Amino acid sequence: MKRVKDSYSFAFLLNVLLPGAGHLYWREYTFGLFVFLIALLAMTLFLASFIIPTTGVVIAMLFGLPMLFFLFTFVDLGKSITKRNRISQRTTKTMILYLVGAIAFQFFSPIAPVNFVLRNPPEVFTVDGNFLSPAFNDGDLVLANPLAWRADLVFVDGHYWFEIPRRGEIVRFRNGRPSSGTGVILGMFGEEVQIVDGVLVVDGIPQEADLPGQRLLQGDMALTLTNPTSILIATLNLGVVDRTYQVPADSLIGRVYKLF
């Protein structure tokens, strides 16, 4: 039985955790360093894409080409291992050091994917009730994605907001209770909002746009003034406003999407 440290799977695992580490482990130092630098550039560009406006074509090129190159590194790594007859002549201690270093990179490097997800965690939860029917029904597994509007970037002091939340979005938010709330954005900063016969009226103007959350509204809601520093979010009970919350932007958890 071949040892773990001499197997394809271990080298591929290193390459996934730390691009280039698989080649370094197999003493392909020059190419391993080159792979790491390409990955470093791609991860840096990914973070910068939240700040610098880019088109879909540019994004596809910036991330598609490095991804193709990254996939190629596995092919090259497999050929290198085969050429050496799967004998790395590395000690168990060296194997452990490589593995620990690769894992540490993912968790502690500010540009690594795992570290980025830990700083921008989505919230997955199950809908309890039909209060947002028909958009979400009782038992649906949904995800609140904070990256819909903002990101925690290493080179920015605090969260960077690249998009303003929109009226009609179904969102997850912190409401000062042990559990979070899920509702529809009705009003933005300083707006006067009311619902008349299921129609959202903002500053005296009916909102006839096909907003996702607006399709859920029923009944009436008294005229409400949104705080200048808050967003007005309503929790619903089968389309009727159950309660409204004046929510600061930093208390938004994320836009809600259905998973299953």
Side-chain angles (χ1 to χ4, degrees), residues 21-34:
H23 287 84
L24 294 175
Y25 181 80
W26 282 86
R27 293 184 170 85
E28 299 279 347
Y29 297 115
T30 301
F31 190 69
L33 180 60
F34 178 68

Side-chain angles (χ1 to χ4, degrees), residues 184-222:
V184 179
I185 295 179
L186 298 183
M188 305 304 291
F189 314 102
E191 292 179 338
E192 291 183 335
V193 180
Q194 66 180 138
I195 299 174
V196 180
D197 293 331
V199 176
L200 182 64
V201 180
V202 178
D203 293 335
I205 302 174
Q207 303 297 300
E208 298 177 355
D210 189 21
L211 302 174
Q214 186 170 324
R215 296 197 296 269
L216 305 177
L217 301 179
Q218 302 290 333
D220 301 312
M221 185 189 78

